Every structure is written in C-alpha cells, then in structure tokens.
Amino acid sequence: MSLQAFRDNGQIPGITYTILTELIKRKQKKNTWKRREAVASLSLIACCGSLILYVFFFHPESLSSMKGFHTLISRPGVLLILFLSVLFIIVFIFCRGEREDAEDDFDDLRDEVIDRADELWLKEQVDFKGDSARYVIMNYLKKEFDINLFYK
C-alpha cells in the first residue's frame, strides 16, 4: 500500500500526505548524496593509494633527492593521478556538504512532523487488530523508507 492509497482511503489528510511525500523526497535526496559521497571517497582512496604504491614500490629511488622527486612528478601518468586526486578531493568535499545540508533538511522536517503530530493526524480510530491508522502509516514509512516518526 502506498501513501496515496492511505490518502484515498481517508486515513490521512491531504496536508499530511503532502508533508510525508516531501519527507520521503528529502530522505531519498539524503541517500543519493550519501551514495555520491561514498563513491567519491572510494575513488579518492583508490587514486591516492595507487599514487603511493607507484611512488614507493616502483620508484623509491626518486625520493632520495629533490631532482629525482621533480622528475617523478613531471611524468604524465603521475600528473594525471595527482590531478584526479585533487579532483576527487574537491568532489568529496562538495558531496559531503550537500549530504549534510540534505540531512539537516530531512531531520528538520522529520522533527517538525513529530512535534506537530496532533495537528497532522486524524483522530485515533482503532481497527480490528487494535492498530490505529497513524500507527500503520508510521510502520509503513519505517519499513519502506527507513523513516522513523515514532520518536526523535
């Protein structure tokens, strides 16, 4: 069952449906930035790791003098790996900031929904199992989208 079905059945008001839909969108945006941050960090680790392996295992003699180090750095392959490392650092920092912003937006709306629960939900009417519509919807959100509205 989806949120729209709950709304069509009259179990949640329209404004609550709109807010919960926005909450789901913010959670998905947060998860998207979290995945992008993970990909950027793994790429950064791979680039830096390959650079370290290349320098320390294939050309350790270049570290003994500044001239050898300059020669090593001026190689096109090493320059490419350095450039990619700097690029992945920038991408990682950007993704981290966006993830934190998306996380803050999600948490703010989630806290607002929890604080205003009495205003957003219909009167508690218990079904034959003893569960209210609010409880069923909150369980659905927890199970399907990992959004916990039971407590802050």
Side-chain angles (χ1 to χ4, degrees):
M1 191 174 236
S2 67
L3 277 181
Q4 189 171 8
F6 285 121
R7 184 192 65 184
D8 293 343
N9 290 340
Q11 293 176 315
I12 57 175
I15 188 71
T16 306
Y17 170 77
T18 305
I19 291 172
L20 292 178
T21 304
E22 180 64 26
L23 191 65
I24 291 169
K25 286 178 189 175
R26 289 184 186 188
K27 175 72 173 189
Q28 291 169 342
K29 184 178 177 183
K30 175 184 140 182
N31 289 340
T32 300
W33 283 111
K34 194 174 187 178
R35 282 191 303 274
R36 289 177 184 171
E37 181 185 12
V39 168
S41 66
L42 289 176
S43 302
L44 177 61
I45 290 169
C47 264
C48 291
S50 63
L51 182 65
I52 289 170
L53 286 174
Y54 181 76
V55 170
F56 285 105
F57 289 110
F58 296 113
H59 296 287
E61 71 281 350
S62 65
L63 296 174
S64 61
S65 69
M66 286 303 284
K67 185 175 190 241
F69 185 70
H70 183 269
T71 304
L72 178 69
I73 296 296
S74 62
R75 292 182 181 177
V78 174
L79 281 176
L80 178 66
I81 293 174
L82 281 173
F83 174 74
L84 287 175
S85 295
V86 169
L87 180 69
F88 285 130
I89 287 171
I90 293 168
V91 169
F92 174 76
I93 290 170
F94 176 75
C95 289
R96 182 179 178 96
E98 290 295 319
R99 184 206 32 98
E100 287 175 352
D101 290 344
E103 197 170 83
D104 290 342
D105 289 344
F106 169 74
D107 287 337
D108 289 344
L109 185 59
R110 184 179 154 275
D111 290 344
E112 185 72 24
V113 168
I114 292 170
D115 289 340
R116 297 182 59 202
D118 295 335
E119 300 170 26
L120 295 175
W121 299 99
L122 296 173
K123 283 244 185 205
E124 298 292 322
Q125 296 176 357
V126 180
D127 64 0
F128 67 94
K129 293 187 220 175
D131 296 335
S132 66
R134 176 179 171 182
Y135 178 77
V136 171
I137 294 167
M138 290 168 87
N139 265 341
Y140 168 75
L141 290 172
K142 176 72 175 152
K143 183 178 168 186
E144 295 295 321
F145 301 104
D146 194 29
I147 298 174
N148 188 355
L149 295 177
F150 290 105
Y151 58 89
K152 286 187 182 182

